[in-house]
C-alpha cells in the first residue's frame, strides 16, 4: 500500500520570521507550528535579507529557500516544488508572486495571512495626525478612540493602500484575519464575502505554572518593535504626557522600554534621572515581562491584535492600554488591567495597578481567563487546519463563486506579469 504524501506548503514571507521582534512574525510562527503538528512538509521563502533575530526554521524541519523579486527563477522553483497550499505572508507578497503561483501551480490553494488590516492602521494614523495638528492637548483622546465603523470606512476607502490590500484578499481563496473587528468592517462596510475570511487570532498554550508574585516584581514596562509606527508613537506619548503624570504620584518610578531595531531618535529619549530607560532589544521578552509589575501599551492608533498584551497575560502581568490596544482582544471577558482614553486616566490606572496588590491580582486572574477563552492553540489550530482542508475540497466552487477575485486576477496579474518581465529583462541588460 502506498502511503499518501504529506501536504506540501509554501510560505512566501515578506520577511524571515523574527518572533522575538514582532507579533506579526510570532503569528506566522504559530501557524507554522500548527502545520508542523499535522506533519506537513513546509518550505519558507522570502525575497528579504536575513534579519538579526530571525528564527532558525531549519532546526524545526522547515526548508529555507531565498527567492528574488522579478526573477523567473521562482517559476522553476515553484514548478518543481508543486505545493498544495501557498501561504502569502502579507498582501504585498501576493501582489508580487500571486500571478506566478497561479500560472505554474493553478491547483494550489492560495491563502493570505493578514497580521492586521494595514489600510485601517493607515487611516487611523492619519486621523491621529489631524487630531494633533488641530490641538496642542496631548492628554484627552476620547474622540480619537470612538469612531463609528462607517467613519473608519470613509478614512480607508479612497486610499490606494485599501484598494490594493482588499483586491489582494479577493484574489486569494482564503484570508486569515486576527481581528474579528476587522472581519466585520470588511463584511459590513466593504461588502467583502465572509466565506473568504477566517478568524485566526494569536494561538498560545495556556501556562499552568505560577507567575512571578507581586512582591518580586518592580517597575513599569513598554515593549514593541521600533520599526512599527504605532509603537514609536506610543513611546512619544509616554515620554511627553503619561510618564510625567506617573512620576508625580510615584517619584521613584522606573519605566523600561524594550524594542527591536532601536533607532538613535529612541535612544536619545533615554533619561535615567527621570526613570525613563530605553533598553534596546530584549533577549527574552517573556523574562522581562515577567519581572515587571505593569505593562503599558498606550497605542493611539494601530490595527490587528496586540502580541505584547498576549505576552503580558502569559506572564501574569496586568496591563494598561487604550481602546485601540484592547480592540478585538477580549469580547465580553473582563480586561486584565485597564482600558483608558486619556493620559491622565492612563497614568492613574497604571499607578493603581502598581500599588494595589488586590487589584493587581484581580487583573492577573482576568488575563488567565481571557487566554483560556480566546487564544488557545488547541482550539484555533485544529479550526485552521479544518478550514484549509474544506477549502481544498471545495476549491472549484470557491473560485467559481468569487467572480470579483477572478476578474481582479485577470487584470492585475497580467499587468504585474508584464511589469515583472520588463524589470527582469532590464536587469539582465544592465548585467551584460
Amino acid at each position: 500500500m502506498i502511503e499518501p504524501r504529506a501536504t506540501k506548503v509554501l510560505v512566501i514571507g515578506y520577511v524571515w520570521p523574527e518572533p522575538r521582534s514582532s507579533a506579526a512574525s510570532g503569528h506566522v510562527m504559530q501557524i507554522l507550528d500548527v502545520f508542523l503538528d499535522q506533519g506537513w512538509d513546509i518550505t519558507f521563502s522570502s525575497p528579504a535579507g536575513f534579519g538579526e533575530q530571525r528564527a532558525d526554521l531549519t532546526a524545526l524541519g522547515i526548508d529555507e529557500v531565498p527567492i528574488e523579486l522579478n526573477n523567473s527563477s521562482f517559476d522553476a522553483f515553484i514548478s518543481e516544488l508543486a505545493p498544495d497550499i501557498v501561504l502569502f505572508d502579507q498582501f504585498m507578497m501576493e501582489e508580487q508572486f500571486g500571478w506566478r503561483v497561479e500560472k505554474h501551480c493553478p491547483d494550489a490553494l492560495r491563502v493570505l495571512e493578514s497580521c492586521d488590516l494595514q489600510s485601517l492602521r493607515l487611516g487611523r494614523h492619519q486621523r491621529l495626525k489631524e487630531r494633533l495638528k488641530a490641538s496642542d492637548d496631548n492628554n484627552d483622546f476620547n474622540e480619537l478612540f470612538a469612531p463609528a465603523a462607517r467613519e473608519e470606512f470613509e478614512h480607508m476607502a479612497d486610499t490606494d493602500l485599501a484598494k490594493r490590500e482588499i483586491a489582494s484578499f479577493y484574489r486569494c481563496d482564503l484570508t486569515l484575519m486576527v481581528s474579528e473587528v476587522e472581519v466585520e468592517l470588511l463584511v459590513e462596510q466593504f461588502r467583502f464575502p465572509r466565506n473568504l475570511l477566517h478568524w485566526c487570532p494569536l494561538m498560545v498554550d495556556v501556562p499552568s505554572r505560577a507567575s512571578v508574585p507581586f512582591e518580586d516584581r518592580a517597575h513599569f514596562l513598554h515593549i514593541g518593535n521600533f520599526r512599527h509606527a504605532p509603537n514609536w508613537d506610543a513611546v512619544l506619548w509616554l515620554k511627553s504626557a503619561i510618564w510625567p503624570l506617573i512620576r508625580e504620584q510615584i517619584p521613584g518610578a522606573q519605566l523600561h522600554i524594550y524594542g527591536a531595531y532601536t533607532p538613535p531618535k529612541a535612544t536619545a529619549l533615554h533619561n535615567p534621572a527621570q526613570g525613563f530607560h530605553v533598553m534596546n532589544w530584549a533577549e527574552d521578552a517573556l523574562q522581562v515581562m515577567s519581572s515587571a509589575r505593569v505593562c503599558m501599551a498606550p497605542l493611539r492608533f494601530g490595527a490587528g491584535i496586540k502580541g505584547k498584551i498576549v505576552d503580558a497575560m502569559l506572564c501574569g502581568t496586568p496591563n494598561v492600554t487604550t481602546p485601540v490596544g484592547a480592540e478585538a482582544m477580549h469580547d465580553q471577558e473582563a480586561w486584565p488591567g485597564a482600558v483608558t482614553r486619556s493620559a491622565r486616566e492612563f497614568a492613574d490606572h497604571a499607578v493603581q495597578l502598581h500599588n494595589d496588590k488586590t487589584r493587581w491580582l484581580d487583573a492577573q486572574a482576568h488575563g488567565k481567563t481571557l487566554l483560556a477563552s480566546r487564544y488557545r492553540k488547541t482550539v484555533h489550530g485544529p479550526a485552521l487546519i479544518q478550514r484549509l482542508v474544506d477549502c481544498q475540497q471545495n476549491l472549484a466552487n470557491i473560485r467559481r463563486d468569487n467572480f470579483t477575485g477572478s476578474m481582479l486576477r485577470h487584470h492585475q496579474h497580467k499587468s504585474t506579469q508584464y511589469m515583472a518581465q520588463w524589470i527582469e529583462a532590464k536587469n539582465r541588460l544592465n548585467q551584460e
Side-chain angles (χ1 to χ4, degrees), residues 14 81 83 112 134 165 273 278 329 336 340 348-349 377 388 427:
Y14 182 67
L81 183 66
L112 176 61
E165 186 172 28
V278 179
M329 292 205 65
T340 65
D348 288 347
H349 280 282
K377 177 188 171 186
L388 294 176
N427 290 340

Side-chain angles (χ1 to χ4, degrees), residues 47 51 56 90 97 119 126-127 140 153 185 191 223 228 230 240 245 253 276 292 295-296 300 342 351 358 364 395 415:
D56 185 359
Q90 301 193 35
F97 295 98
S119 49
Q126 186 59 39
R127 279 210 315 276
D140 190 347
F153 169 78
L185 179 65
R191 301 295 186 259
I223 190 166
H228 191 52
S240 65
L245 296 174
F276 198 91
C295 171
M296 302 203 295
R300 293 190 289 189
S342 71
V351 168
T358 299
Q364 184 184 75
L395 189 55
S415 61

Side-chain angles (χ1 to χ4, degrees), residues 11-16 44-48 67 87-90 93:
V11 181
I12 303 177
Y14 182 67
V15 296
W16 297 94
F44 195 102
S45 294
S46 177
I67 52 178
L87 177 69
F88 301 102
D89 170 31
Q90 301 193 35
M93 293 298 94

